[in-house]
Amino acid sequence: GAGVSQTPSNKVTEKGKYVELRCDPISGHTALYWYRQSLGQGPEFLIYFQGTGAADDSGLPNDRFFAVRPEGSVSTLKIQRTERGDSAVYLCASSPFTGGTGELFFGEGSRLTVL
Amino acid sequence: AQTVTQSQPEMSVQEAETVTLSCTYDTSESDYYLFWYKQPPSRQMILVIRQEAYKQQNATENRFSVNFQKAAKSFSLKISDSQLGDAAMYFCAYTRNNDMRFGAGTRLTVKP
């Protein structure tokens, strides 16, 4: 596709359940980012991939959060034992540049609601 | 850690007028990049303008321009001839080593 695609657009789950959020970056973009945006806040950095490896996962809030990018393209953000505080919009972005010098191209986000 | 502060949660401007959105940041680095992103209700973040810290000249993109004051660590966005389509959340962002940091945002309302 022409842009960053995120699925699902909306996800409602119950507390304690497992959730997967998918990001399909722009073809050829080597850098991929996950951000979390709570209501009324700016995006909060979670993790950054360069190729298949997580170059920086310092933003993941705890060990319930995990992300993979096995083939250097599609990435999945996995949340175990979801809590109500995990409710937010999860944004994915990709970039053709290394070193954080360039524009990030964002998807429309996945809105997660934990009941 | 680098922080980005946007002190104006909401701003309002009359159509065709000019508005300035404020942003300050904290860093000990000398080489970095600053951005303004726009987020309409569709949620997709769109780049408005970018500034490299090593460039003294302020960036300009059509009706959008910045006032970059490196010593003061200030990076404001000026929108000239405001249009109804400019209404959105605006986020200031800083990056140096991949972890782009965003401010809390300013909600801009454009009155017809």
Side-chain angles (χ1 to χ4, degrees):
Chain A
V4 177
S5 176
Q6 291 189 247
T7 55
S9 179
N10 288 283
K11 175 70 176 180
V12 179
T13 190
E14 294 179 344
K15 179 176 178 294
K17 299 291 187 182
Y18 170 81
V19 167
E20 288 190 353
L21 306 176
R22 175 189 167 105
C23 173
D24 198 344
I26 293 172
S27 179
H29 281 193
T30 57
L32 185 145
Y33 302 75
W34 283 100
Y35 286 83
R36 178 170 67 176
Q37 187 175 22
S38 300
L39 190 63
Q41 300 294 317
E44 173 193 5
F45 171 80
L46 295 177
I47 187 169
Y48 155 69
F49 287 91
Q50 181 58 33
T52 60
D56 184 351
D57 64 357
S58 62
L60 295 177
N62 51 60
D63 61 7
R64 295 186 298 106
F65 288 75
F66 190 72
V68 296
R69 194 186 186 198
E71 298 179 356
S73 178
V74 172
S75 175
T76 304
L77 178 66
K78 306 180 180 189
I79 310 173
Q80 298 178 322
R81 304 182 304 279
T82 52
E83 300 177 356
R84 292 193 179 88
D86 298 335
S87 296
V89 174
Y90 289 82
L91 296 171
C92 177
S94 69
S95 171
F97 301 104
T98 59
T101 59
E103 174 186 359
L104 297 189
F105 296 80
F106 283 84
E108 294 188 357
S110 293
R111 181 181 298 279
L112 174 65
T113 303
V114 182
L115 301 177
Chain B
Q2 290 77 20
T3 58
V4 180
T5 302
Q6 293 179 248
S7 59
Q8 306 155 316
E10 297 184 356
M11 290 286 284
S12 180
V13 63
Q14 203 71 32
E15 192 176 7
E17 297 294 312
T18 296
V19 65
T20 299
L21 308 184
S22 301
C23 173
T24 59
Y25 57 95
D26 181 28
T27 184
S28 58
E29 305 294 340
S30 60
D31 190 16
Y32 49 87
Y33 298 81
L34 298 165
F35 302 81
W36 278 98
Y37 276 87
K38 170 185 177 181
Q39 187 179 42
S42 69
R43 300 199 307 237
Q44 188 164 23
M45 301 276 277
I46 302 165
L47 179 69
V48 174
I49 199 164
R50 172 187 128 151
Q51 174 81 42
E52 293 93 338
Y54 63 85
K55 290 187 177 179
Q56 293 185 343
Q57 186 174 3
N58 289 325
T60 299
E61 288 288 341
N62 299 314
R63 298 182 296 107
F64 299 88
S65 62
V66 299
N67 183 5
F68 173 49
Q69 301 290 328
K70 191 172 184 179
K73 297 178 184 176
S74 171
F75 182 61
S76 61
L77 174 69
K78 185 171 83 171
I79 306 174
S80 304
D81 185 25
S82 297
Q83 301 176 359
L84 295 178
D86 294 335
M89 286 291 293
Y90 285 82
F91 293 98
C92 178
Y94 163 104
T95 190
R96 184 175 184 276
N97 289 322
N98 309 315
D99 59 341
M100 186 175 285
R101 304 294 178 110
F102 290 83
T106 297
R107 181 176 301 281
L108 178 66
T109 302
V110 181
K111 297 180 179 178

